[in-house]
Amino acid sequence: MKILATSDLHLGKRSSEVPLTEKESSTRYTWEQIVDGCLNQAVDVVLLAGDIVDRDNRFFEAVGPLQAGLEKLDRAGITVIITAGNHDYDVLPAITGNNSFENVHILGHNGEWEVKTITRNNQTVQFVGWSFPRQYVPESPLVNFTSQGLDPNFPAIGIFHGDAFSREKKYGPFDLNNLLNKDVDAWIIGHIHKPTILHGQNPFVCYPGSPHALSPKETGLHSPLMLTVSGKHKMEVKPVIFSPVRYENISVNITGAKNEDSFRDIITSSLRDHARAITTELEKVRFLIYDIKLEGRHRDVNVLSRWAANVPDYRPDVESATIVLPRKVINNAEPSVENLHELASQPSPAGIVAGTILALREGRSSELLESLRERWYSEREKLVNAVTYQPLSLNDADNGTLHEEADRYILRECNRLLNEFINQQAN
Amino acid sequence: MSVKSPLIFKHISIRKMPGFTNGLGGYDKLSPQINVVAGPNASGKSSSARVIQQLLWHTHTSGLQAEASAAIGDEPWIFKIDSSFISVQRNGQDEPLAALPPAEAQGRYMLALHELVTENENELARKIVRESIGGYDIDEAASKLGYSDTIRKQTVKEYSDYEKADGVFKQILREHNDLKDDENHLENLTHERDKAENSARLAQLYKLVKDFLEARKDLETKEERLGGFPAALEKTNGNEYSEILELEEGLEKTSHELERAKAGLKVKGERLSALDLPPNGIDDKLLNELEKRIENIEDLDRNISNTSEKKQEAFIKEQEALKQLDHTPGLSDFNGLILPDVAELDRFLQKANRVIIEKQQWDARIHELQTAVDDREVADPETLSEGIKSLSYWLQEQKGTAGMPSWLLPAMIGITILTGLLAIFAGWAWMAGILLAALSGWLATRKNSSSLPGIRQKDFSNTGLQEPHEWNTESVSERLQQLVEELGLAKEMGKNRDKISDYEKQRGQTLVELQQVDRVRDEWLEKLKTVPADYAGLYWFLVNARVWHQQHTEKEALAANIKILKQKYMHELGKINDLLQQCNVEAVSDTVQAKTTWKKLNQDENTRRNLFGETERLTSEISERQDDLQRNTVKLEAIYNRLAVDPGNKEEIRRLVEKLDNYRKVSQDFYEASILVNDRRKTLEKHPLYPGLADEIETTAMENAIEKLAKYTGEAEQLKELNKRINEIQALVNNKKKGHNLEDAMAGRDDALDRLGQLFDVNLASVTGNLIAEHLTKETSEQNRPAVFKRAGELLNRITMGRYELKLRENGEPAFRAYDTMNSSGLNLSELSTGTRIQLLLAVRLAFIETQETTVKLPVLADELLANSDDVRATAIIRALTEISREGRQIFYFTAQQDEVARWEEYLAGKNGTDFKIIRLSGNDNEHVKHQHTKPSPAFNYEVASPSGKDYNAYGKTIGVHPFDPLTDKPSQLHLWYLLNKADLLHSWLKIGITSYGQLKSYLHFNGKAEGLSTHQWAEMTNMVTILEHYSELYRIGRPKPVDRHILELSKAVNDTFIDDVSLLLDQLSGNPEKLLQALDNRAVSGFRKSKIDDLREYLTGEGYLDSRPIIPESDLNLRMNAFISRQDLDAGKAEAFLKRVMKQPPRDSLTD
């Protein structure tokens, strides 16, 4: 039995940084691709593990394409099994509630686990699912899970929406260990957009992730999974139907950039090389969007920042229909210092900065660094609480993240300062 | 502070560096304390300073070849740079120079005046602070990087963009929410619409019911009206009354016509009976035959009459013809004369007439000719010809006759003969004309000639013809003309005689024929007897006899014809009587009677026939009228019967007919009403709600139907509005489902949020940088500065020979004062002299340098610190540097100013114990190339040895003239030694620093004074250089140019792994790139790949180090040069001597051998 599994499509949204005029930027495009793909590949069952509809646009612009797609699948006799997520807990039942689709089923509509058994070509697979009954669910969805109703002779696939990492306690937090002993062969879970395999086999536990990359944070491959079930504990998994938008972070060493032309050459060739390296995954990718981190050493890291301002205009050609869009450049390059340790020994501002860079680079702490971090937290909090930045909702960062962030900022500015100091000497 | 050993450079050799491809030569025996390097601009001072720094820090060694020996304490150190190849050795062992200050701080060892000169006190204080922390300016760096602790306000674009995008999103979201509410109400609206739709359908039904009931009621009314009319109207067509009137009138008319026909029939029968004709009348055929036969006898009658008249006329003419014959022998006399005889007689008479006429014509012709012949007497033609001949000869023999040309006479004779001939053939008029003309011409030219007797005269006399009057030309010619004419006449007469003879013969024949005619005449006369015996009488008789014969014959014929006609007439008449007899008519006897009888008979028959036709017509008419009467009577009865009215009650019929229109209208109305009722019932029964309400509807009264109609219509009126509302919502929903406005707005908001996030990032980075800068300021002021200032104070004190001490007072911002130990007073910085200020800054700089040095004191380099200094300031600086050097630090002082050198010399002259060296750079020894490094090093001074009696070659060796290498050197670099042969003159140029042709050319270009150099000499020098330039060009063809390690590095074909090995190989091959590639091809360097060899070859070829062209053989080269020299304004011998001198000590040609 061929089962296509995905989640977090967020119909009603578009990928950021892609021109609005491009149809591929919308998740509806990917939904249509998924539907057509299911028809073309003779899929038997489609699993949608929640957040198929984006809450901010859940009434019409998402529902229209969703209904059209479900209708198409229904007409083709393809079974669709949906569990609702925190975004669409109230929308999905409204769409399918009037039994207008014979082959579309919402499992666990009331927050109760529900089993649906599907038999195709003498192959029977049981689907046990749970849906968000409301927007926030602070308890684990597995609390009231029971194997009752599951026939141990047939493979079973669990499907629900929940947070394995418990970053926030309101989206069905659960413990992975609780999934491992439930007499279920595979768990398809929604909520985390990045495709993630939590447990390799027996059972196979994964977040298939969003099939359509929506923001630069969602880097890497995004694709529904095709599960081919041929018996109890017999299942193959592979990604299919790639997102038309792909975000990537890439580090580029610009040590050899003597001028803006060579800088551009380095950037474009790095992007080209990276795109070529993943070219087999780009067949369906229309937009490949890069965030670029500049690394390496340069005589003037600040002039790099000026050059970097033009990077979004670069359009490196790749040998496919994919359009490469450099989005943003993070300048982490270091100034060209002959011997940072020697410099660090100098009783000068450059020496102090060099010492701080070395400490950050080597993971050492220092009184100065500690002092800087403390003050940085305070300054950041002021910024975060400023009215100007309220829309960013940055209050919820945890300490670990903040620590890394502080070091990242301090290191970057130390490099920039050191660059200036060296320039002062040179002049 | 630990004891630091100074690093002292002893020797520095610079073989190659960017800008000085031939290097700078060597700095030998350097002073461990002060080295003043003096030279003009661009002579290599700053470059030397950079090389010294690179020997220590190696930060920019590309293209640099340098080597230095130094000492740190007692240990010797060797520093080598060959581009990227760096070698540092202590005691012959590789060892990096440890504990060097960071490369970034190397600038601290380079002192520049502009860094030390400042007028503003605050600026000075800032500089002191900056120097105290290594020359860094934290505030400047922070400012340049835009560091600030400011939090961006809400007025920033990113925030307002977000607000705007969020506003758009919320607005569209509100619209969606509103529409969602509407969509939620759709169910209620739909229910209401369904209800309204049902009411609409009921309203529609009861409208049908109402319509049906109305129609049915109307039908009933019309049916009742229709019942009020007589039943007979149903069978009435409306024409019955008029039909009756018409029929009655017809019957009456027909009766009258019947009576009239019967009466007529009776009359006709009576008349018919009155005719005495056979019952069936007379056949037309008989009448026609009778008519025809009567016409025949009429014709016969007329023919008989006409023929009788003609017979009478013939008889009269016959009698008249007899009278003309003038005898009345009786007609029997001519009975033997038949008509063919008359015709034969006629032919005879015509023939006789012709013969007689012919005879008469012959007689006349003969008579006419005979008369002509008889009238003339002419000699015979032969005689005349002889005469003519004689005279002609005579005339011909008159040659030489005066007045006549020799050609004239024969011409005259010819003309005369021709004339004669023409006279014969063309007539005399022609001949006479021509002859006269000829004679006139001749006579006009003729002169008297004498006549001489001769044989011609005798011949002529023998002819017997009359001789000319005289025997002269004129007379003879005249006679000749006469004879010619006579000859023509004689010949014509001969012809006439011949004709007469011919006519005579033909006349004889005619006479024979005449005799035959006469005989026939006689036979006719005999036959006719009484006829006159001449041909005229015979003819007359013949004419009259022919008339008589014709009339007689015709009379006889007409008589016979009349007889036949009468026989026919009688026969025809008999036939006519036979026919009349068949008609019961009496026989007739002549034509008139017959015709009269026929006419009457014919007329009676016609009458009979007319009467018979009338009778038949009337009989038929009577029958028809009787039929009409019967038919119309039946019709009349049928009308009465159909309308059930008593026969004859015509008035009743009329009344019925008058009601018919009204009846028909009522009847039509009824019919239409009944159709309407049926239609409406069908429509009603088809309504979908009818089956369910049939019973109720069938019993529904009109009032009820109207009442329900009004009720349901009212309820249905909401339907339109409901539908509109529902359609609107559904359209909007469908539209929204297909749209993406909210999606776009969300994307716009997300993008704006992203930009706001980037602003946050920039803001946080700025704040972070600000934090770091603040920390740096605090850190450096607290930790480093006191130590630096303490040492700076000590240094200042030493430099100022104990006069000043530096005092630091730091309360927030640092404040400086100088304590004057002589005056025991503190001075503000503004109160210090310029020199003291510089000394103060030098002290701070040195103090910082010392604080960063750990074990080694490095040389300090100063670049023209004394420039534009007054004596006080210059002395202060020199003193400061001297004091610093006494601390064990080696000083390099670079200057282009001779006066600075003088100041140094002046100052140091009095300082025993201070070692120093003045090094002068001339800038003219930069032509070295790497492969010539074994050649003598150039001298570093302007001192040039004097020739002092040496010969030119010896002097050249003294001054160290570098050989010229045509492969690498430019002609402008050619030493003047090669171009001059006067040692004193050369010495004068060398003394002012001019060694090469290029320098001299530039010197002269800028109007330099060229003492001792004539214009001719200069031109000769220029020509020689031009020749050398051409020679060099030819010489370079096919020869490789030397390369070094730097070139290998630039090629990028030799990576770090192989650069040392390949460079070593290159050195062994004296820099010959061609040999290097051959060696590499032969795997002289193990592991060096072929592709890299190809890359290197490509690079060297592309850059011109390799020349693929064949080398020009020497003989060819000399030939080409000879040709070139021949075009120059220079003696070939001088040119050759010059080139030989240049090439006498050619550079090692190791590249090509």
Side-chain angles (χ1 to χ4, degrees), chain A residues 24-39:
Chain A
E24 292 90 348
S25 73
S26 174
T27 52
R28 79 167 62 189
Y29 172 81
T30 298
W31 170 238
E32 288 164 2
Q33 296 297 306
I34 289 171
V35 170
D36 291 343
C38 288
L39 265 60

Side-chain angles (χ1 to χ4, degrees), chain B residues 482-495:
Chain B
Q482 289 169 353
L483 290 180
V484 169
E485 289 176 3
E486 284 177 17
L487 176 62
L489 197 59
K491 286 190 175 179
E492 190 178 355
M493 288 177 68
K495 286 180 182 175

Side-chain angles (χ1 to χ4, degrees), chain A residues 293-307:
Chain A
K293 284 182 184 170
L294 303 184
E295 292 181 346
R297 297 168 71 188
H298 195 266
R299 59 178 171 76
D300 193 340
V301 295
N302 296 323
V303 82
L304 285 179
S305 295
R306 288 205 301 277
W307 295 346

Side-chain angles (χ1 to χ4, degrees), chain A residues 14 26 28 57 59 61 67 327 337-338 346-347 371 375-376 387-389 409 413 420 424-425, chain B residues 104-105 134 137 144 147 152 154 159 177 737 739 741-744 754 761 763 768 774-775 784 852:
Chain A
R14 282 178 177 274
S26 174
R28 79 167 62 189
N57 195 1
F59 295 137
E61 293 180 3
Q67 281 178 321
R327 183 186 84 103
V337 177
E338 282 295 313
Q346 194 185 49
S371 170
R375 286 198 61 192
W376 187 87
V387 177
T388 309
Y389 301 118
Y409 274 90
E413 297 314 314
E420 278 307 308
Q424 286 177 356
Q425 292 289 303
Chain B
E104 290 72 23
D137 190 330
K144 199 167 179 186
Y147 289 159
R152 302 293 173 88
Q154 290 163 262
Y159 184 80
N177 285 332
K737 281 183 176 178
N741 285 352
L742 186 55
E743 191 176 285
D744 294 349
D754 187 58
D761 182 66
N763 205 161
T768 305
E774 285 178 5
H775 270 76
N784 298 0
Q852 71 173 4

Side-chain angles (χ1 to χ4, degrees), chain B residues 276-277 282 290 576-588 593 597-598 600-601 604:
Chain B
D276 187 17
L277 287 175
I282 300 170
L290 189 59
I576 287 169
N577 285 327
D578 290 344
L579 290 172
L580 289 174
Q581 191 177 356
Q582 291 176 25
C583 300
N584 299 324
V585 178
E586 291 178 2
V588 295
Q593 194 177 5
T597 302
W598 177 81
K600 184 179 181 304
L601 190 60
D604 289 347

Side-chain angles (χ1 to χ4, degrees), chain B residues 92-144:
Chain B
Q93 299 295 317
D94 288 342
E95 182 178 321
L97 184 59
L100 270 179
E104 290 72 23
Q106 60 182 291
R108 295 287 86 201
Y109 292 88
M110 176 62 84
L111 305 177
L113 182 64
H114 67 88
E115 293 177 328
L116 301 175
V117 176
T118 180
E119 299 297 331
N120 184 285
E121 183 180 353
N122 292 333
E123 184 65 20
L124 179 60
R126 196 165 158 260
K127 275 200 170 179
I128 292 171
V129 171
R130 184 170 170 173
E131 288 296 334
S132 72
I133 57 172
Y136 298 106
D137 190 330
I138 299 169
D139 290 342
E140 186 183 291
S143 170
K144 199 167 179 186

Side-chain angles (χ1 to χ4, degrees), chain B residues 410-649:
Chain B
M412 287 292 296
I413 297 167
I415 291 170
T416 304
I417 295 168
L418 177 64
T419 305
L421 293 173
L422 283 171
I424 295 167
F425 298 106
W428 289 109
W430 267 88
M431 182 274 296
I434 294 170
L435 189 63
L436 282 173
L439 285 174
S440 300
W442 176 73
L443 286 173
T445 56
R446 190 190 69 89
K447 290 192 175 176
N448 291 332
S449 60
S450 58
S451 168
L452 297 177
I455 190 156
R456 302 301 176 193
Q457 289 176 350
K458 194 181 283 181
D459 289 342
F460 188 78
S461 296
N462 291 338
T463 59
L465 293 171
Q466 184 183 356
E467 292 187 6
H469 298 301
E470 293 179 28
W471 282 93
N472 58 27
T473 306
E474 186 179 0
S475 297
V476 172
S477 296
E478 187 181 352
R479 184 57 186 143
L480 178 62
Q481 177 63 27
Q482 289 169 353
L483 290 180
V484 169
E485 289 176 3
E486 284 177 17
L487 176 62
L489 197 59
K491 286 190 175 179
E492 190 178 355
M493 288 177 68
K495 286 180 182 175
N496 287 339
R497 286 191 190 98
D498 291 342
K499 283 183 181 175
I500 291 168
S501 173
D502 186 38
Y503 292 168
E504 290 277 354
K505 286 178 184 171
Q506 292 186 44
R507 181 174 173 270
Q509 290 173 358
T510 303
L511 288 176
V512 171
E513 199 172 1
L514 188 58
Q515 289 172 355
Q516 289 173 348
V517 170
D518 287 341
R519 198 168 47 248
V520 172
R521 183 199 62 189
D522 293 339
E523 286 171 5
W524 279 102
L525 290 176
E526 179 62 27
K527 191 176 182 178
L528 297 174
K529 292 180 171 121
T530 60
V531 175
D534 59 358
Y535 283 99
L538 188 59
Y539 180 73
W540 176 85
F541 174 80
L542 177 61
V543 171
N544 288 306
R546 188 185 291 162
V547 173
W548 171 82
H549 183 264
Q550 285 175 345
Q551 295 304 324
H552 175 76
T553 305
E554 189 173 352
K555 184 194 75 176
E556 292 298 321
L558 289 170
N561 197 18
I562 289 167
K563 187 179 178 182
I564 292 166
L565 287 172
K566 285 181 176 176
Q567 287 172 347
K568 286 181 178 177
Y569 182 86
M570 291 310 292
H571 176 261
E572 199 67 20
L573 190 62
K575 290 288 184 183
I576 287 169
N577 285 327
D578 290 344
L579 290 172
L580 289 174
Q581 191 177 356
Q582 291 176 25
C583 300
N584 299 324
V585 178
E586 291 178 2
V588 295
S589 59
D590 58 19
T591 302
V592 175
Q593 194 177 5
K595 195 165 183 176
T596 303
T597 302
W598 177 81
K599 279 182 180 176
K600 184 179 181 304
L601 190 60
N602 194 42
Q603 191 174 0
D604 289 347
E605 177 58 24
N606 285 337
T607 302
R608 186 197 68 81
R609 288 183 180 181
N610 286 338
L611 289 172
F612 183 76
E614 278 295 302
T615 305
E616 285 196 327
R617 185 184 63 77
L618 288 170
T619 304
S620 173
E621 185 180 340
I622 289 164
S623 174
E624 286 174 5
R625 293 296 171 264
Q626 285 172 341
D627 290 345
D628 288 344
L629 281 175
Q630 186 178 359
R631 188 168 60 247
N632 288 337
T633 303
V634 169
K635 281 183 182 177
L636 199 58
E637 289 171 351
I639 292 169
Y640 286 113
N641 289 339
R642 174 159 52 87
L643 300 183
V645 175
D646 294 336
N649 192 352

Side-chain angles (χ1 to χ4, degrees), chain B residues 160-174:
Chain B
S160 59
D161 283 351
Y162 170 76
E163 287 273 273
K164 194 175 169 185
D166 190 48
V168 171
F169 163 71
K170 284 174 177 165
Q171 172 61 32
I172 296 173
L173 184 60
R174 273 194 297 277

